[in-house]
Every structure is written in structure tokens, then in C-alpha cells.
Amino acid sequence: MEKVDRKLQVQCFVKHDAENIFTGDNVPRLLYVSRQRLDASRHPRIMHAHQEYTEVVLITEGSSNYLIDDRQYAVRKGDLLVYNPGIVHDEVAGEGAEVETWCVAIGGLRMPGLPKNALLPADRGCVFRADVLFEEMNSLCNIMFQLLSGQYAGAATYCHGLMLSFLSMALAVSEHEDQSLIESEEEDSVLGNRVKRYIDAHFREPLTLQMIADALNVSTYYMAHVFKDMSGYAPMTYLQKRRVGEAQTLLIHTDQSISDIAYSLGYDAQSHFNQQFSKHVGMPPGEFRKHYVVGKKGK
């Protein structure tokens, strides 16, 4: 007599009422989902900050050192990165580094006790291990990306619910401290952070190494040495990357001409801007604007 394989139907019960994290004025909005493949590290989205929303990044392959605000982090597959508004971050820091990521941008956040559009307290940190939630978060990002890039009817509605699930997981993951911070000397970090803040405030202006040192009343040699130890970059390299990163933001989010962008960022000639952009991104600004966004222009 033939043996029949009878599998039991398995049923999972909800054991606790769902907690409604996002209430009142706290209404998160999904702004975009982006995908960076391993080979796209040759054309990175470099040093920049967003003032109006938070970005949550999931590392799905590879490893690298990232510069996030004034600290270096060793990130790897399975890490979750949270960039609150105003946090300057360099997505690929290190020669030959290749990483694959999902990036989810969220606006409309009003988390209790936090500044508008911030997801986490400033002292919580930026890098966390996704651990057991990694596969689920990876799947959510993939589904959102496929729906949005395919421009399906109702995609925004479907993705809103998926985004809330993704955010809830991100908040759970952020409760666990990560050990990925690369420590530096405290005294040097103070000076290095002063240099960073000065460049961040004045990167649109003509600057020289001597001008920065004079403004901070330190020697150029010592300042450059300390800043490179902290950030991994010479001050003038950081300045150029900061300008190019801001140019990428303007190319993606605005219709400003390339020449207007160049002059607004302190370049006296568009040819010099084009040279620096190609050096750091691996393609000229016009090509970057054309190929960066999937589907319709804008992000």
C-alpha cells in the first residue's frame, strides 16, 4: 500500500496586541528606496547630508570603513546604518572597497523627544547589527524597490505599510549597541571635529589649508595630521568630497544647470568642477544626473 505523506497545516497565533509606534503627528512618509550594487561602488554616492529626512541603510554584501559625521566605522554585511538629518556621511570610504546596500529615506518623523525627522537620539549611535532581522529587512527593501521601480498602480500604498514594518524593525535593531566604531585619541578628536565643523560650514566658499588653520588658530601641519587620523582624509580632500557630494544631491533633486551648481559650490570654472566630480565619482556630472535614478527623474 502506497504511503501517503500527510503534512499538518501549521498555524501561528498573534500572542500580543500590536504596538502602534507611529501616532499623532508622527506620520512617516517613504520618500525613496535606492539600491547600490557591488559594482556601483566605482560610482559612489559620496560625502553628503540630508536636512529634511532620515536615511536607513542596510549593508547586504561587502565591507568597508565609512566616515559618518566625525567618526570612522568598520561596516560589513548585516549592518544597519541610520543617518539622522544633518549627519554627513561618506558611503564608501577606502580604496577598492565594494559594498552592496539598500537605502530607505523617510520623512514626516516626529519621534517623541527628538528633533523633527530624526529617527534615533543623537547619542544612540549610527551603526547596528541587524542579526536575526537581516533577511526580513532585506526582503522588505527588495519588495519596495520592485514595486516603486515598476511603477505599479497602488505602489505607494503598498510600500507605506512595508516601510512601517521596516522602521519598526530598525528601531528594534537600534536597541543593540554595535562595536564597529574605530576609536581615536580623545584630544585629537576634539581638534579633528573642529576642522570638520569648519569645513562643513564653509565648503561652498573658496578655502585653502592655510585659511582653515588660521581660522582655528593651529598649525597647518598639525591640523592636517590630526584630521587625517580622525577622518581618513586630508582636509582639502574632505573639502572636495564635501563639495562633490553636495553637487550629487543638487544633480539628483534639482534642475539647476551644471555650471550653476559648480559656481554655487565655490568653483571658479566648470571645467575644474567637472574634473573633480569625475575624479571622485568615476563619471562626469551630466552622465551621473542621467543614469543615477531609476524610472522618472527625481528621487
Side-chain angles (χ1 to χ4, degrees), residues 27-46:
V27 185
R29 300 191 319 276
L30 178 62
L31 303 180
Y32 59 79
V33 179
S34 64
R35 179 65 159 160
Q36 177 178 283
R37 302 183 310 272
L38 282 173
D39 57 357
S41 296
R42 294 192 298 269
H43 310 293
R45 181 75 169 91
I46 66 171

Side-chain angles (χ1 to χ4, degrees), residues 255-276:
D255 293 321
Q256 290 185 50
S257 69
I258 293 173
S259 60
D260 285 347
I261 290 173
Y263 295 130
S264 74
L265 293 173
Y267 292 96
D268 55 8
Q270 184 180 330
S271 59
H272 184 212
F273 166 68
N274 289 349
Q275 180 186 47
Q276 288 295 322

Side-chain angles (χ1 to χ4, degrees), residues 151-169:
Q151 299 182 5
Y152 293 100
T157 300
Y158 308 147
C159 289
H160 176 74
L162 296 171
M163 177 269 296
L164 292 180
S165 296
F166 180 82
L167 269 189
S168 298
M169 292 181 184

Side-chain angles (χ1 to χ4, degrees), residues 285-293:
E287 187 176 346
F288 176 85
R289 170 176 268 174
K290 180 180 178 181
H291 294 291
Y292 186 81
V293 179

Side-chain angles (χ1 to χ4, degrees), residues 40-150:
S41 296
R42 294 192 298 269
H43 310 293
R45 181 75 169 91
I46 66 171
M47 196 175 295
H48 63 291
H50 307 287
Q51 302 302 325
E52 303 299 329
Y53 54 87
T54 282
E55 279 189 336
V56 182
V57 174
L58 184 66
I59 309 292
T60 56
E61 291 291 345
S63 63
S64 182
N65 290 347
Y66 274 31
L67 179 65
I68 304 174
D69 206 11
D70 60 345
R71 300 180 176 188
Q72 290 188 67
Y73 293 84
V75 303
R76 63 194 191 280
K77 178 180 179 179
D79 279 344
L80 187 78
L81 285 57
V82 178
Y83 303 137
N84 278 342
I87 296 295
V88 178
H89 50 285
D90 199 12
E91 294 183 354
V92 179
E95 293 297 326
E98 288 190 341
V99 290
E100 187 172 84
T101 67
W102 289 113
C103 177
V104 180
I106 302 106
L109 289 166
R110 294 276 189 169
M111 302 297 288
L114 298 185
K116 183 180 178 181
N117 286 318
L119 180 65
L120 299 179
D123 60 358
R124 181 74 62 84
C126 297
V127 183
F128 312 92
R129 292 296 294 166
D131 289 331
V132 296
L133 291 177
F134 171 76
E135 293 298 341
E136 286 72 17
M137 299 182 81
N138 188 22
S139 295
L140 287 171
C141 289
N142 185 52
I143 295 170
M144 288 189 288
F145 184 80
Q146 296 301 326
L147 288 169
L148 292 171
S149 62

